[in-house]
């Protein structure tokens, strides 16, 4: 008989194995899965959590994804763009706190004013931190030239979620036009990987029309893509979006959290040395969501350091915590929880993806 225990003894997991584990409701089996993921993380990435100060640069976006609260078609969203001083102030805060890295995330824009302003910000953040801060970008699909320009200006990691690896499901979540092409998204990920970025992707979990088979395929997609970093979390409906009207049949909040934790644990077991984020969306559905994600194999925590006045406008989904993690108390609470799991928080380190370095090492030509 198939059990989580028998499946986890195998060298490599099949699509059916993944579906079995995603569907099991047996508490002992769930705990066995999470314990295994924790052991794999401890062995391959260490008993440690790295920090990224998250700066939500702008909620202006040219895209119109059906699930997202800051889609261009939502005229109820108050738009903002942080100014240079605000971004540099947040970056300096992260550097002084010893976070080691920042993530600059933004709605997608491809006009030269925007792309050049990112290039300039990258240079300034590097220089204000004596080149000590690592920088991850998450600014959507861009041309190869822009990705290269940003890489040369100091970004070394890039997050671009595929959202779902199913072409047909992707088609149901996005307008069918050239702005929202599945093929272009995959191509953009390949370009990032080719240019030398530590490349990250991820999916939303518990979407309308999504089945456990899709989620198993997502895990296989990320493994086959040889991805360095993963950020995934539950789908959370936003009332001012078209997809919210299709949510009658989505799994409950608890089920979406459960599925997300299992996805994280399975991904850790399949891709042992990657970096994996405990996403903010986890916390939206469960106050302990991010800690549970770490207990299921995630190793990256992204305190939100966006100035609070603007952070409340970066509403991808409803109920997103408006607090920012700047508060001392929030970090102290994290430290305590992490220590309680026999782990520690890394300070003053980039916290690079070990998978990236192992991948590069393995593809070097023979001397
Ligand atoms: N629920 C959960 N995640 C969402 N995102 C956008 N809208 C939602 C939502 N309603 C995620 C997408 C995107 C990232 C910036 O936020 O995965 O890539
Ligand atoms: Fe824009 Fe990203 Fe939201 Fe799509 S998910 S509308 S690309 S911010």
């Amino acid at each position: 008989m198939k059990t989580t225990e028998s499946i986890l003894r195998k060298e490599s997991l099949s699509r059916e194995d993944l579906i079995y584990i995603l569907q099991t409701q047996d508490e002992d089996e769930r705990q066995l899965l999470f314990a295994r993921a924790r052991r794999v993380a401890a062995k391959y990435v260490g008993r440690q959590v790295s920090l990224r100060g998250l700066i939500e640069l702008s909620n202006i976006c040219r895209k119109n994804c059906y699930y997202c609260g800051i889609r261009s078609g939502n005229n109820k969203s108050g738009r903002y763009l942080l100014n240079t001083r605000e971004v540099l102030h947040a970056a300096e805060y992260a550097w002084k706190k010893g976070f080691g890295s920042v993530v600059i995330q933004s709605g997608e824009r491809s006009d030269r004013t925007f792309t050049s302003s990112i290039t300039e910000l990258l240079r300034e953040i590097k220089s204000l931190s004596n080149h000590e801060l690592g920088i991850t970008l998450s600014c959507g699909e861009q041309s190869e030239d822009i990705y290269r320009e940003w890489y040369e200006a100091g970004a070394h990691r890039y997050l671009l979620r595929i959202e779902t690896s199913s072409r047909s499901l992707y088609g149901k979540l996005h307008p069918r036009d050239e702005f929202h092409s599945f093929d272009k998204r995959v191509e953009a990920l390949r370009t990032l990987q080719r240019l030398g970025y530590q490349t990250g992707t991820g999916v939303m979990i518990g979407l309308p029309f999504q089945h456990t088979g899709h989620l198993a395929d997502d895990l296989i997609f990320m493994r086959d893509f040889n991805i360095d970093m993963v950020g995934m979390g539950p789908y959370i409906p936003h009332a001012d979006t078209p997809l919210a009207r299709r949510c009658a049949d989505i799994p409950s909040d608890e089920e979406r959290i459960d599925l997300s934790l299992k996805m994280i644990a399975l991904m850790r077991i399949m891709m042992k040395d990657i970096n994996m984020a405990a996403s903010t969306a986890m916390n939206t559905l469960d106050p302990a969501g991010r800690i549970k994600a770490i207990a299921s194999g995630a190793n990256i925590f992204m305190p939100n350091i966006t100035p609070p006045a603007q952070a409340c406008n970066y509403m991808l989904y409803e109920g997103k915590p408006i607090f920012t993690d700047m508060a001392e108390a929030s970090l102290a609470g994290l430290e305590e929880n992490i220590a309680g799991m026999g782990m520690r928080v890394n300070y003053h380190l980039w916290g690079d993806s070990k998978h990236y370095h192992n991948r590069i090492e393995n593809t070097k030509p023979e001397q």
Side-chain angles (χ1 to χ4, degrees), residues 2-8 13-26 29-30 33-34 212 258-259 262-263 265-266 269:
K2 213 185 248 262
T3 61
T4 298
E5 192 178 1
S6 67
I7 291 170
L8 293 181
L13 307 189
S14 67
R15 183 173 190 271
E16 287 64 38
D17 295 334
L18 298 172
I19 292 175
Y20 174 89
I21 292 182
L22 288 168
Q23 288 181 346
T24 185
Q25 294 303 320
D26 183 289
E29 297 206 21
R30 289 178 74 247
L33 170 71
F34 301 142
T212 37
D258 175 62
L259 277 174
K262 285 175 175 162
M263 286 288 284
L266 287 168
I269 291 164

PDB file of all heavy atoms in Angstrom, residues 2-8 13-26 29-30 33-34 212 258-259 262-263 265-266 269:
ATOM      1  N   LYS A   2       0.439   2.265  -0.779  1.00  0.00           N
ATOM      2  CA  LYS A   2       1.190   3.516  -0.836  1.00  0.00           C
ATOM      3  C   LYS A   2       0.984   4.294   0.472  1.00  0.00           C
ATOM      4  O   LYS A   2      -0.146   4.456   0.934  1.00  0.00           O
ATOM      5  CB  LYS A   2       0.640   4.358  -1.991  1.00  0.00           C
ATOM      6  CG  LYS A   2       1.682   5.211  -2.680  1.00  0.00           C
ATOM      7  CD  LYS A   2       1.010   6.093  -3.711  1.00  0.00           C
ATOM      8  CE  LYS A   2       1.372   5.714  -5.106  1.00  0.00           C
ATOM      9  NZ  LYS A   2       2.337   6.341  -5.845  1.00  0.00           N
ATOM     10  N   THR A   3       2.092   4.745   1.090  1.00  0.00           N
ATOM     11  CA  THR A   3       1.982   5.667   2.237  1.00  0.00           C
ATOM     12  C   THR A   3       3.039   6.740   2.040  1.00  0.00           C
ATOM     13  O   THR A   3       3.965   6.571   1.246  1.00  0.00           O
ATOM     14  CB  THR A   3       2.284   4.969   3.582  1.00  0.00           C
ATOM     15  OG1 THR A   3       3.642   4.486   3.514  1.00  0.00           O
ATOM     16  CG2 THR A   3       1.324   3.843   3.884  1.00  0.00           C
ATOM     17  N   THR A   4       2.900   7.843   2.800  1.00  0.00           N
ATOM     18  CA  THR A   4       3.913   8.889   2.698  1.00  0.00           C
ATOM     19  C   THR A   4       5.280   8.301   3.051  1.00  0.00           C
ATOM     20  O   THR A   4       6.290   8.606   2.415  1.00  0.00           O
ATOM     21  CB  THR A   4       3.544  10.062   3.641  1.00  0.00           C
ATOM     22  OG1 THR A   4       2.298  10.596   3.192  1.00  0.00           O
ATOM     23  CG2 THR A   4       4.594  11.149   3.622  1.00  0.00           C
ATOM     24  N   GLU A   5       5.296   7.410   4.057  1.00  0.00           N
ATOM     25  CA  GLU A   5       6.565   6.813   4.479  1.00  0.00           C
ATOM     26  C   GLU A   5       7.213   6.026   3.343  1.00  0.00           C
ATOM     27  O   GLU A   5       8.394   6.188   3.057  1.00  0.00           O
ATOM     28  CB  GLU A   5       6.312   5.913   5.690  1.00  0.00           C
ATOM     29  CG  GLU A   5       7.602   5.483   6.351  1.00  0.00           C
ATOM     30  CD  GLU A   5       7.351   4.617   7.589  1.00  0.00           C
ATOM     31  OE1 GLU A   5       6.185   4.336   7.917  1.00  0.00           O
ATOM     32  OE2 GLU A   5       8.355   4.226   8.196  1.00  0.00           O
ATOM     33  N   SER A   6       6.411   5.198   2.663  1.00  0.00           N
ATOM     34  CA  SER A   6       6.990   4.389   1.583  1.00  0.00           C
ATOM     35  C   SER A   6       7.422   5.294   0.429  1.00  0.00           C
ATOM     36  O   SER A   6       8.456   5.076  -0.202  1.00  0.00           O
ATOM     37  CB  SER A   6       6.005   3.309   1.118  1.00  0.00           C
ATOM     38  OG  SER A   6       4.885   3.917   0.492  1.00  0.00           O
ATOM     39  N   ILE A   7       6.664   6.350   0.167  1.00  0.00           N
ATOM     40  CA  ILE A   7       7.020   7.262  -0.930  1.00  0.00           C
ATOM     41  C   ILE A   7       8.337   7.984  -0.615  1.00  0.00           C
ATOM     42  O   ILE A   7       9.221   8.117  -1.470  1.00  0.00           O
ATOM     43  CB  ILE A   7       5.885   8.301  -1.153  1.00  0.00           C
ATOM     44  CG1 ILE A   7       4.651   7.610  -1.729  1.00  0.00           C
ATOM     45  CG2 ILE A   7       6.357   9.419  -2.085  1.00  0.00           C
ATOM     46  CD1 ILE A   7       3.410   8.487  -1.769  1.00  0.00           C
ATOM     47  N   LEU A   8       8.491   8.402   0.645  1.00  0.00           N
ATOM     48  CA  LEU A   8       9.680   9.180   0.996  1.00  0.00           C
ATOM     49  C   LEU A   8      10.948   8.328   1.041  1.00  0.00           C
ATOM     50  O   LEU A   8      12.050   8.850   1.099  1.00  0.00           O
ATOM     51  CB  LEU A   8       9.476   9.922   2.330  1.00  0.00           C
ATOM     52  CG  LEU A   8       8.417  11.038   2.298  1.00  0.00           C
ATOM     53  CD1 LEU A   8       8.304  11.725   3.640  1.00  0.00           C
ATOM     54  CD2 LEU A   8       8.718  12.063   1.202  1.00  0.00           C
ATOM     55  N   LEU A  13      10.538  11.130  -6.742  1.00  0.00           N
ATOM     56  CA  LEU A  13       9.080  11.045  -6.574  1.00  0.00           C
ATOM     57  C   LEU A  13       8.371  11.198  -7.923  1.00  0.00           C
ATOM     58  O   LEU A  13       8.698  12.097  -8.698  1.00  0.00           O
ATOM     59  CB  LEU A  13       8.591  12.138  -5.616  1.00  0.00           C
ATOM     60  CG  LEU A  13       9.288  12.224  -4.246  1.00  0.00           C
ATOM     61  CD1 LEU A  13       8.554  13.201  -3.325  1.00  0.00           C
ATOM     62  CD2 LEU A  13       9.358  10.861  -3.579  1.00  0.00           C
ATOM     63  N   SER A  14       7.403  10.326  -8.166  1.00  0.00           N
ATOM     64  CA  SER A  14       6.647  10.406  -9.423  1.00  0.00           C
ATOM     65  C   SER A  14       5.485  11.394  -9.244  1.00  0.00           C
ATOM     66  O   SER A  14       5.155  11.798  -8.123  1.00  0.00           O
ATOM     67  CB  SER A  14       6.075   9.032  -9.768  1.00  0.00           C
ATOM     68  OG  SER A  14       5.088   8.695  -8.807  1.00  0.00           O
ATOM     69  N   ARG A  15       4.846  11.748 -10.350  1.00  0.00           N
ATOM     70  CA  ARG A  15       3.690  12.634 -10.314  1.00  0.00           C
ATOM     71  C   ARG A  15       2.602  12.053  -9.392  1.00  0.00           C
ATOM     72  O   ARG A  15       2.003  12.765  -8.591  1.00  0.00           O
ATOM     73  CB  ARG A  15       3.162  12.800 -11.744  1.00  0.00           C
ATOM     74  CG  ARG A  15       2.005  13.757 -11.875  1.00  0.00           C
ATOM     75  CD  ARG A  15       1.674  13.977 -13.348  1.00  0.00           C
ATOM     76  NE  ARG A  15       0.717  15.068 -13.502  1.00  0.00           N
ATOM     77  CZ  ARG A  15      -0.596  14.911 -13.483  1.00  0.00           C
ATOM     78  NH1 ARG A  15      -1.127  13.703 -13.342  1.00  0.00           N
ATOM     79  NH2 ARG A  15      -1.389  15.957 -13.629  1.00  0.00           N
ATOM     80  N   GLU A  16       2.403  10.720  -9.470  1.00  0.00           N
ATOM     81  CA  GLU A  16       1.380  10.080  -8.636  1.00  0.00           C
ATOM     82  C   GLU A  16       1.750  10.177  -7.155  1.00  0.00           C
ATOM     83  O   GLU A  16       0.890  10.371  -6.300  1.00  0.00           O
ATOM     84  CB  GLU A  16       1.193   8.595  -9.024  1.00  0.00           C
ATOM     85  CG  GLU A  16       0.469   8.382 -10.342  1.00  0.00           C
ATOM     86  CD  GLU A  16       1.254   8.922 -11.540  1.00  0.00           C
ATOM     87  OE1 GLU A  16       2.503   8.783 -11.549  1.00  0.00           O
ATOM     88  OE2 GLU A  16       0.618   9.514 -12.437  1.00  0.00           O
ATOM     89  N   ASP A  17       3.061  10.002  -6.861  1.00  0.00           N
ATOM     90  CA  ASP A  17       3.510  10.124  -5.464  1.00  0.00           C
ATOM     91  C   ASP A  17       3.200  11.527  -4.933  1.00  0.00           C
ATOM     92  O   ASP A  17       2.715  11.697  -3.813  1.00  0.00           O
ATOM     93  CB  ASP A  17       5.032   9.909  -5.352  1.00  0.00           C
ATOM     94  CG  ASP A  17       5.451   8.493  -5.724  1.00  0.00           C
ATOM     95  OD1 ASP A  17       4.608   7.582  -5.589  1.00  0.00           O
ATOM     96  OD2 ASP A  17       6.614   8.313  -6.145  1.00  0.00           O
ATOM     97  N   LEU A  18       3.505  12.541  -5.749  1.00  0.00           N
ATOM     98  CA  LEU A  18       3.275  13.931  -5.321  1.00  0.00           C
ATOM     99  C   LEU A  18       1.790  14.167  -5.070  1.00  0.00           C
ATOM    100  O   LEU A  18       1.401  14.761  -4.062  1.00  0.00           O
ATOM    101  CB  LEU A  18       3.799  14.910  -6.385  1.00  0.00           C
ATOM    102  CG  LEU A  18       5.313  14.834  -6.656  1.00  0.00           C
ATOM    103  CD1 LEU A  18       5.686  15.701  -7.856  1.00  0.00           C
ATOM    104  CD2 LEU A  18       6.105  15.264  -5.426  1.00  0.00           C
ATOM    105  N   ILE A  19       0.957  13.653  -5.972  1.00  0.00           N
ATOM    106  CA  ILE A  19      -0.490  13.838  -5.811  1.00  0.00           C
ATOM    107  C   ILE A  19      -0.970  13.147  -4.531  1.00  0.00           C
ATOM    108  O   ILE A  19      -1.756  13.710  -3.764  1.00  0.00           O
ATOM    109  CB  ILE A  19      -1.243  13.313  -7.058  1.00  0.00           C
ATOM    110  CG1 ILE A  19      -0.921  14.208  -8.256  1.00  0.00           C
ATOM    111  CG2 ILE A  19      -2.751  13.248  -6.809  1.00  0.00           C
ATOM    112  CD1 ILE A  19      -1.485  13.740  -9.576  1.00  0.00           C
ATOM    113  N   TYR A  20      -0.456  11.933  -4.287  1.00  0.00           N
ATOM    114  CA  TYR A  20      -0.857  11.211  -3.067  1.00  0.00           C
ATOM    115  C   TYR A  20      -0.568  12.075  -1.832  1.00  0.00           C
ATOM    116  O   TYR A  20      -1.425  12.278  -0.972  1.00  0.00           O
ATOM    117  CB  TYR A  20      -0.127   9.853  -2.964  1.00  0.00           C
ATOM    118  CG  TYR A  20      -0.413   9.164  -1.658  1.00  0.00           C
ATOM    119  CD1 TYR A  20      -1.505   8.304  -1.518  1.00  0.00           C
ATOM    120  CD2 TYR A  20       0.382   9.422  -0.525  1.00  0.00           C
ATOM    121  CE1 TYR A  20      -1.800   7.715  -0.294  1.00  0.00           C
ATOM    122  CE2 TYR A  20       0.082   8.848   0.706  1.00  0.00           C
ATOM    123  CZ  TYR A  20      -1.006   7.991   0.808  1.00  0.00           C
ATOM    124  OH  TYR A  20      -1.293   7.415   2.026  1.00  0.00           O
ATOM    125  N   ILE A  21       0.655  12.601  -1.768  1.00  0.00           N
ATOM    126  CA  ILE A  21       1.045  13.360  -0.570  1.00  0.00           C
ATOM    127  C   ILE A  21       0.252  14.668  -0.478  1.00  0.00           C
ATOM    128  O   ILE A  21      -0.182  15.069   0.605  1.00  0.00           O
ATOM    129  CB  ILE A  21       2.575  13.609  -0.554  1.00  0.00           C
ATOM    130  CG1 ILE A  21       3.293  12.272  -0.360  1.00  0.00           C
ATOM    131  CG2 ILE A  21       2.956  14.596   0.548  1.00  0.00           C
ATOM    132  CD1 ILE A  21       4.798  12.349  -0.264  1.00  0.00           C
ATOM    133  N   LEU A  22       0.037  15.329  -1.608  1.00  0.00           N
ATOM    134  CA  LEU A  22      -0.732  16.582  -1.572  1.00  0.00           C
ATOM    135  C   LEU A  22      -2.155  16.339  -1.075  1.00  0.00           C
ATOM    136  O   LEU A  22      -2.775  17.210  -0.472  1.00  0.00           O
ATOM    137  CB  LEU A  22      -0.763  17.227  -2.966  1.00  0.00           C
ATOM    138  CG  LEU A  22       0.562  17.840  -3.436  1.00  0.00           C
ATOM    139  CD1 LEU A  22       0.490  18.187  -4.929  1.00  0.00           C
ATOM    140  CD2 LEU A  22       0.917  19.088  -2.623  1.00  0.00           C
ATOM    141  N   GLN A  23      -2.657  15.117  -1.316  1.00  0.00           N
ATOM    142  CA  GLN A  23      -4.056  14.849  -0.953  1.00  0.00           C
ATOM    143  C   GLN A  23      -4.239  14.231   0.425  1.00  0.00           C
ATOM    144  O   GLN A  23      -5.338  14.284   0.967  1.00  0.00           O
ATOM    145  CB  GLN A  23      -4.689  13.924  -1.997  1.00  0.00           C
ATOM    146  CG  GLN A  23      -4.930  14.650  -3.312  1.00  0.00           C
ATOM    147  CD  GLN A  23      -5.575  13.776  -4.365  1.00  0.00           C
ATOM    148  OE1 GLN A  23      -5.624  12.560  -4.224  1.00  0.00           O
ATOM    149  NE2 GLN A  23      -6.052  14.392  -5.438  1.00  0.00           N
ATOM    150  N   THR A  24      -3.158  13.688   1.002  1.00  0.00           N
ATOM    151  CA  THR A  24      -3.376  12.958   2.261  1.00  0.00           C
ATOM    152  C   THR A  24      -3.813  13.900   3.382  1.00  0.00           C
ATOM    153  O   THR A  24      -3.327  15.018   3.500  1.00  0.00           O
ATOM    154  CB  THR A  24      -2.123  12.151   2.697  1.00  0.00           C
ATOM    155  OG1 THR A  24      -2.482  11.384   3.854  1.00  0.00           O
ATOM    156  CG2 THR A  24      -0.960  13.042   3.069  1.00  0.00           C
ATOM    157  N   GLN A  25      -4.760  13.423   4.168  1.00  0.00           N
ATOM    158  CA  GLN A  25      -5.249  14.216   5.306  1.00  0.00           C
ATOM    159  C   GLN A  25      -4.772  13.597   6.615  1.00  0.00           C
ATOM    160  O   GLN A  25      -5.103  14.086   7.686  1.00  0.00           O
ATOM    161  CB  GLN A  25      -6.793  14.247   5.295  1.00  0.00           C
ATOM    162  CG  GLN A  25      -7.392  14.988   4.107  1.00  0.00           C
ATOM    163  CD  GLN A  25      -6.899  16.437   4.027  1.00  0.00           C
ATOM    164  OE1 GLN A  25      -6.779  17.111   5.040  1.00  0.00           O
ATOM    165  NE2 GLN A  25      -6.565  16.906   2.831  1.00  0.00           N
ATOM    166  N   ASP A  26      -4.001  12.504   6.504  1.00  0.00           N
ATOM    167  CA  ASP A  26      -3.553  11.796   7.705  1.00  0.00           C
ATOM    168  C   ASP A  26      -2.504  12.638   8.446  1.00  0.00           C
ATOM    169  O   ASP A  26      -1.486  13.007   7.878  1.00  0.00           O
ATOM    170  CB  ASP A  26      -2.959  10.442   7.265  1.00  0.00           C
ATOM    171  CG  ASP A  26      -2.547   9.604   8.447  1.00  0.00           C
ATOM    172  OD1 ASP A  26      -1.531   9.952   9.110  1.00  0.00           O
ATOM    173  OD2 ASP A  26      -3.233   8.610   8.712  1.00  0.00           O
ATOM    174  N   GLU A  29       1.064  11.295   8.654  1.00  0.00           N
ATOM    175  CA  GLU A  29       1.753  11.380   7.363  1.00  0.00           C
ATOM    176  C   GLU A  29       2.203  12.818   7.091  1.00  0.00           C
ATOM    177  O   GLU A  29       3.299  13.066   6.589  1.00  0.00           O
ATOM    178  CB  GLU A  29       0.845  10.882   6.230  1.00  0.00           C
ATOM    179  CG  GLU A  29       0.481   9.419   6.395  1.00  0.00           C
ATOM    180  CD  GLU A  29       0.152   8.737   5.071  1.00  0.00           C
ATOM    181  OE1 GLU A  29       0.561   9.220   4.002  1.00  0.00           O
ATOM    182  OE2 GLU A  29      -0.513   7.694   5.117  1.00  0.00           O
ATOM    183  N   ARG A  30       1.329  13.765   7.428  1.00  0.00           N
ATOM    184  CA  ARG A  30       1.687  15.189   7.233  1.00  0.00           C
ATOM    185  C   ARG A  30       2.942  15.516   8.044  1.00  0.00           C
ATOM    186  O   ARG A  30       3.893  16.097   7.551  1.00  0.00           O
ATOM    187  CB  ARG A  30       0.550  16.110   7.676  1.00  0.00           C
ATOM    188  CG  ARG A  30      -0.671  16.102   6.786  1.00  0.00           C
ATOM    189  CD  ARG A  30      -1.766  17.006   7.344  1.00  0.00           C
ATOM    190  NE  ARG A  30      -1.461  18.412   7.168  1.00  0.00           N
ATOM    191  CZ  ARG A  30      -1.200  19.266   8.145  1.00  0.00           C
ATOM    192  NH1 ARG A  30      -1.209  18.868   9.395  1.00  0.00           N
ATOM    193  NH2 ARG A  30      -0.933  20.520   7.880  1.00  0.00           N
ATOM    194  N   LEU A  33       6.095  14.140   6.654  1.00  0.00           N
ATOM    195  CA  LEU A  33       6.551  14.929   5.498  1.00  0.00           C
ATOM    196  C   LEU A  33       7.308  16.180   5.966  1.00  0.00           C
ATOM    197  O   LEU A  33       8.419  16.458   5.494  1.00  0.00           O
ATOM    198  CB  LEU A  33       5.337  15.331   4.655  1.00  0.00           C
ATOM    199  CG  LEU A  33       5.598  16.344   3.549  1.00  0.00           C
ATOM    200  CD1 LEU A  33       6.403  15.696   2.424  1.00  0.00           C
ATOM    201  CD2 LEU A  33       4.277  16.899   2.998  1.00  0.00           C
ATOM    202  N   PHE A  34       6.708  16.925   6.893  1.00  0.00           N
ATOM    203  CA  PHE A  34       7.338  18.176   7.327  1.00  0.00           C
ATOM    204  C   PHE A  34       8.665  17.891   8.036  1.00  0.00           C
ATOM    205  O   PHE A  34       9.648  18.621   7.854  1.00  0.00           O
ATOM    206  CB  PHE A  34       6.388  18.978   8.237  1.00  0.00           C
ATOM    207  CG  PHE A  34       5.079  19.338   7.560  1.00  0.00           C
ATOM    208  CD1 PHE A  34       3.883  19.316   8.252  1.00  0.00           C
ATOM    209  CD2 PHE A  34       5.064  19.706   6.217  1.00  0.00           C
ATOM    210  CE1 PHE A  34       2.684  19.640   7.623  1.00  0.00           C
ATOM    211  CE2 PHE A  34       3.865  20.027   5.574  1.00  0.00           C
ATOM    212  CZ  PHE A  34       2.671  19.986   6.283  1.00  0.00           C
ATOM    213  N   THR A 212      -4.890  19.071  -7.795  1.00  0.00           N
ATOM    214  CA  THR A 212      -3.593  18.646  -7.247  1.00  0.00           C
ATOM    215  C   THR A 212      -2.653  18.186  -8.367  1.00  0.00           C
ATOM    216  O   THR A 212      -1.440  18.308  -8.228  1.00  0.00           O
ATOM    217  CB  THR A 212      -3.750  17.546  -6.168  1.00  0.00           C
ATOM    218  OG1 THR A 212      -4.809  16.685  -6.542  1.00  0.00           O
ATOM    219  CG2 THR A 212      -4.046  18.139  -4.822  1.00  0.00           C
ATOM    220  N   ASP A 258      -2.618  24.283   4.122  1.00  0.00           N
ATOM    221  CA  ASP A 258      -2.108  22.906   4.175  1.00  0.00           C
ATOM    222  C   ASP A 258      -1.418  22.536   2.860  1.00  0.00           C
ATOM    223  O   ASP A 258      -0.292  22.025   2.848  1.00  0.00           O
ATOM    224  CB  ASP A 258      -3.270  21.941   4.475  1.00  0.00           C
ATOM    225  CG  ASP A 258      -2.826  20.492   4.431  1.00  0.00           C
ATOM    226  OD1 ASP A 258      -1.968  20.127   5.251  1.00  0.00           O
ATOM    227  OD2 ASP A 258      -3.306  19.730   3.562  1.00  0.00           O
ATOM    228  N   LEU A 259      -2.086  22.865   1.753  1.00  0.00           N
ATOM    229  CA  LEU A 259      -1.498  22.558   0.443  1.00  0.00           C
ATOM    230  C   LEU A 259      -0.181  23.329   0.252  1.00  0.00           C
ATOM    231  O   LEU A 259       0.792  22.795  -0.286  1.00  0.00           O
ATOM    232  CB  LEU A 259      -2.462  22.952  -0.678  1.00  0.00           C
ATOM    233  CG  LEU A 259      -3.560  21.967  -1.040  1.00  0.00           C
ATOM    234  CD1 LEU A 259      -4.508  22.592  -2.061  1.00  0.00           C
ATOM    235  CD2 LEU A 259      -2.949  20.672  -1.613  1.00  0.00           C
ATOM    236  N   LYS A 262       2.575  21.708   2.225  1.00  0.00           N
ATOM    237  CA  LYS A 262       3.003  20.458   1.576  1.00  0.00           C
ATOM    238  C   LYS A 262       3.827  20.746   0.325  1.00  0.00           C
ATOM    239  O   LYS A 262       4.807  20.046   0.036  1.00  0.00           O
ATOM    240  CB  LYS A 262       1.780  19.617   1.211  1.00  0.00           C
ATOM    241  CG  LYS A 262       1.136  18.928   2.403  1.00  0.00           C
ATOM    242  CD  LYS A 262      -0.123  18.247   1.913  1.00  0.00           C
ATOM    243  CE  LYS A 262      -0.795  17.423   2.979  1.00  0.00           C
ATOM    244  NZ  LYS A 262      -2.198  17.146   2.576  1.00  0.00           N
ATOM    245  N   MET A 263       3.423  21.771  -0.426  1.00  0.00           N
ATOM    246  CA  MET A 263       4.193  22.141  -1.633  1.00  0.00           C
ATOM    247  C   MET A 263       5.624  22.537  -1.235  1.00  0.00           C
ATOM    248  O   MET A 263       6.601  22.145  -1.889  1.00  0.00           O
ATOM    249  CB  MET A 263       3.514  23.305  -2.359  1.00  0.00           C
ATOM    250  CG  MET A 263       2.255  22.934  -3.107  1.00  0.00           C
ATOM    251  SD  MET A 263       2.553  21.974  -4.605  1.00  0.00           S
ATOM    252  CE  MET A 263       3.146  23.237  -5.735  1.00  0.00           C
ATOM    253  N   ALA A 265       7.279  21.671   1.478  1.00  0.00           N
ATOM    254  CA  ALA A 265       8.010  20.499   1.967  1.00  0.00           C
ATOM    255  C   ALA A 265       8.446  19.595   0.804  1.00  0.00           C
ATOM    256  O   ALA A 265       9.596  19.143   0.736  1.00  0.00           O
ATOM    257  CB  ALA A 265       7.141  19.718   2.951  1.00  0.00           C
ATOM    258  N   LEU A 266       7.536  19.363  -0.151  1.00  0.00           N
ATOM    259  CA  LEU A 266       7.883  18.492  -1.289  1.00  0.00           C
ATOM    260  C   LEU A 266       8.979  19.123  -2.145  1.00  0.00           C
ATOM    261  O   LEU A 266       9.903  18.442  -2.606  1.00  0.00           O
ATOM    262  CB  LEU A 266       6.631  18.216  -2.137  1.00  0.00           C
ATOM    263  CG  LEU A 266       5.628  17.252  -1.493  1.00  0.00           C
ATOM    264  CD1 LEU A 266       4.298  17.272  -2.244  1.00  0.00           C
ATOM    265  CD2 LEU A 266       6.199  15.822  -1.466  1.00  0.00           C
ATOM    266  N   ILE A 269      12.269  18.586  -0.563  1.00  0.00           N
ATOM    267  CA  ILE A 269      12.744  17.203  -0.695  1.00  0.00           C
ATOM    268  C   ILE A 269      13.240  16.953  -2.129  1.00  0.00           C
ATOM    269  O   ILE A 269      14.221  16.246  -2.356  1.00  0.00           O
ATOM    270  CB  ILE A 269      11.620  16.218  -0.274  1.00  0.00           C
ATOM    271  CG1 ILE A 269      11.397  16.350   1.242  1.00  0.00           C
ATOM    272  CG2 ILE A 269      11.935  14.787  -0.672  1.00  0.00           C
ATOM    273  CD1 ILE A 269      10.097  15.737   1.752  1.00  0.00           C
TER     274      ILE A 269
END
